[in-house]
Amino acid sequence: MCGIVGYIGTKREAFPILVKGLQRLEYRGYDSAGVALVNGNHELSVYKAKGKVADLEAFCADKDITGSVGIAHTRWATHGEPSSLNAHPHYSQSKNLAIIHNGIIENYAEIKKKLMNHGVKFLSDTDTEVLVQLIEYIQSKKNLDLLTAVQVALHQVIGAYAIALLDKRHPDTVIAARKQSPLVVGIGDGEFFLGSDASPIIEYTDKVVYLEDGNIAVMKLGEDLKVVSLQNEKLLPEIKTVDIDLGQIEKGGYPHFMLKEIFEQPECLKNCMRGRINVEHDSVKLSALIDYRSWLINAKRIIIVACGTSWHAGLIGKQMIETFCRIPVDVEYASEFRYRNPVVGKDDVVIAISQSGETADTLAAVELAKEKGAFIYGICNAIGSSIPRATNTGTYIHVGPEIGVASTKAFTGQVTVLTMFALTLAEAKGTLRHNEYTRIVKELVEIPEKIKEVLKTNEQVADLARTFTYAHNFLYLGRGFSYPVALEGALKLKEISYIHAEGYPAAEMKHGPIALIDSDMPVVVIATHNAMYEKVRSNIQEIKARQGRVIALVSKGDTTVSKIADAVIELPDTLECLEPLVATVPLQLLAYHIAVCKGKDVDQPRNLAKSVTVE
Ligand code: F6R
């Protein structure tokens, strides 16, 4: 978590670039923000404010914000409460250096103690301040230049970091380094940009270098980008061209990114399928599955590792792969998998699902599975992020940058890729009858249009939200492919509206949750016309018998459930295995509108961050 931005050049003022960059990275954390600038007189100023980037801007209104060199940070607190004191950048004791940091220095307490014994005084409770003080201590004690001091210091720290440093005595240079936390350098004409991802950079240049773990970038005016290792070996930076349209990371007339991203889903899923589904031949090709065909068809087992919403997509993937390909699939929380010495080996394929491609637990699970000899397949959104780079192969979901903290289009993108994966693998293994395969492919292509139809219920869902905003608890029920949808609906609601919500397999209700039901309890039930319809209908009767209030997602034209439910949202018919792609959408809208009615900060809910780079 935390967002990092940097700029060094001669032609432009740094402050506006840094602030705009921070706004784009605010999804990574937003409990405080700060900026360090070197002005024309070589003075280094640090300004910080508790709260969002807008609070920092207001704070800086009467400050000297001139200068064409600077670094800036938006924070998601780990060590030390959210406050302006703990906000980054942090000065070194002499105030010659300023640092910003994303990650955690695990052995900070031990280093801090040693430095304090040497008379170093600390102002904040953060692990980051320890790092800048250590660098300065090494620099002055051993009379080293900044780069060497950084290398020596980073050898001593345990943990994860993306850092950027300014030294006011060398205002023509910014130094940045990374281990486990992402960092991208943008290369302009006589200027450099820095970002936790490419979004603060793309407005100015499309040439970027994704720093590798253990690399240090030296951005010096008048020189080419220099990249070295911690051991000071010179490395050749690989310059890539990024292809992100600025419109993709702006709100485009919607009041919130979340709503924009919900409405983008038809287009996103078309992009996700483009070049992969051949509509004339009703066939799917994933290049990763062609290149690594034998690994994948010979897999004895598939293990899916992910967190949060991506884990829910994994649960749908499991049902799809098991049904179509007859390979056993386990779905694991990455955070559990990595710490329990799992049984995994060379006959296993591990699929890591992650929107950001940076989730620390998922990345660690990938590394562990790799060590144990498994073949690793990534399903990610952020191009060039850490997880895709750590995998053997994979498929990008191509839904464009997701800015709203609550994941929406990434979920449907992940489910779409998992569907294409299962179909391609099933075809290669010969485990799915051809007519069945064709039927699913044909229907998958229709899904974007069906989602468009579902989006027309937006106003109806907004009305429903007004009716149910009073609730303190919600239950979400579904069976089969709809069970993960119930989990996802509940997660969406709790994360943005702070209403407690639980997702359950509908039949499990009788084994405990039914005790919660009374006339105050809204229960969202996915009750479409599929194999489980009759059973789910009985579950609804059980809820009504206890005065629960039922919001049912039903198939278009349903007349039975509609009579007993308090409210219904109609969904277009589709195949059962593809229902999650349409049924999730009204649940995203419901959570969105309830949060709006409650006046919550939809795009940046409290305590959350988009990219969870701490474990
Ligand atoms: C929920 C949400 C989180 C993420 C989880 C994993 O809306 O966004 O639960 O799904 O933090 O993140 P990624 O997919 O980036 O690994």
Side-chain angles (χ1 to χ4, degrees), residues 113-133:
K113 202 162 152 207
K114 277 192 206 147
L115 291 171
M116 285 171 80
N117 287 341
H118 288 292
V120 178
K121 298 211 166 23
F122 286 84
L123 295 176
S124 76
D125 306 319
T126 64
D127 50 335
T128 304
E129 191 187 358
V130 174
L131 187 53
V132 71
Q133 301 284 25

Side-chain angles (χ1 to χ4, degrees), residues 307-310 353-357 359 362 405-407 414 491-492 495 610 612:
C307 303
T309 287
S310 301
I353 309 177
S354 173
Q355 185 287 128
S356 61
T359 299
T362 310
V405 162
S407 189
Q414 290 161 346
L491 178 61
K492 286 294 86 95
E495 67 185 330
K610 184 80 187 153
V612 186

Side-chain angles (χ1 to χ4, degrees), residues 108-394:
Y108 81 102
E110 190 184 316
I111 300 174
K112 186 170 183 173
K113 202 162 152 207
K114 277 192 206 147
L115 291 171
M116 285 171 80
N117 287 341
H118 288 292
V120 178
K121 298 211 166 23
F122 286 84
L123 295 176
S124 76
D125 306 319
T126 64
D127 50 335
T128 304
E129 191 187 358
V130 174
L131 187 53
V132 71
Q133 301 284 25
L134 176 65
I135 293 169
E136 177 162 276
Y137 179 75
I138 292 168
Q139 203 184 13
S140 57
K141 186 96 186 147
K142 302 194 174 163
N143 198 18
L144 298 175
D145 62 70
L146 183 61
L147 173 61
T148 317
V150 168
Q151 287 165 324
V152 175
L154 292 180
H155 270 113
Q156 294 182 25
V157 304
I158 301 171
Y161 53 79
I163 55 166
L165 267 165
L166 286 180
D167 182 339
K168 76 170 181 192
R169 294 156 300 179
H170 302 283
D172 59 348
T173 307
V174 173
I175 290 189
R178 75 154 274 186
K179 186 180 160 212
Q180 287 168 35
S181 300
L183 211 46
V184 187
V185 178
I187 302 174
D189 181 13
E191 56 188 352
F192 297 102
F193 304 83
L194 194 66
S196 294
D197 66 29
S199 63
I201 300 173
I202 52 165
E203 195 167 338
Y204 313 101
T205 176
D206 61 355
K207 299 279 170 283
V208 300
V209 172
Y210 292 96
L211 276 196
E212 297 289 340
D213 261 359
N215 287 4
I216 303 177
V218 181
M219 289 155 275
K220 186 167 182 185
L221 289 176
E223 293 186 7
D224 287 342
L225 174 70
K226 178 167 135 187
V227 178
V228 293
S229 68
L230 286 190
Q231 292 71 27
N232 205 31
E233 294 136 344
K234 200 161 186 288
L235 304 163
L236 197 64
E238 191 188 340
I239 301 175
K240 297 202 163 145
T241 305
V242 278
D243 179 24
I244 304 175
D245 168 9
L246 209 53
Q248 288 179 310
I249 52 173
E250 287 175 351
K251 279 190 204 148
Y254 286 90
H256 297 98
F257 281 111
M258 183 179 176
L259 191 63
K260 175 186 174 232
E261 288 159 4
I262 293 172
F263 271 82
E264 273 173 0
Q265 288 176 108
E267 214 38 52
C268 292
L269 298 197
K270 279 188 202 157
N271 290 339
C272 177
M273 290 185 253
R274 184 161 298 128
R276 293 163 172 169
I277 295 197
N278 182 328
V279 269
E280 274 164 34
H281 296 102
D282 297 320
S283 63
V284 192
K285 292 260 172 302
L286 291 183
S287 51
L289 266 129
I290 299 171
D291 299 344
Y292 294 91
R293 187 185 152 92
S294 67
W295 273 96
L296 292 156
I297 59 174
N298 293 321
K300 296 272 179 296
R301 182 176 57 147
I302 290 179
I303 303 168
I304 297 179
V305 291
C307 303
T309 287
S310 301
W311 185 81
H312 296 157
L315 292 176
I316 297 166
K318 169 187 165 79
Q319 295 193 46
M320 214 114 56
I321 297 167
E322 289 190 341
T323 314
F324 304 164
C325 315
R326 310 310 300 156
I327 303 174
V329 182
D330 295 331
V331 187
E332 300 253 11
Y333 285 117
S335 53
E336 292 294 316
F337 178 85
R338 63 179 288 197
Y339 283 119
R340 59 168 186 77
N341 192 13
V343 181
V344 50
K346 62 177 174 36
D347 292 331
D348 296 318
V349 167
V350 169
I351 301 181
I353 309 177
S354 173
Q355 185 287 128
S356 61
E358 298 294 348
T359 299
D361 283 320
T362 310
L363 184 58
V366 163
E367 298 295 355
L368 175 70
K370 232 159 78 172
E371 261 168 46
K372 290 177 177 279
F375 182 85
I376 320 289
Y377 194 102
I379 297 181
C380 297
N381 189 34
I383 315 279
S385 53
S386 302
I387 294 170
R389 286 189 285 137
T391 54
N392 296 93
T393 186

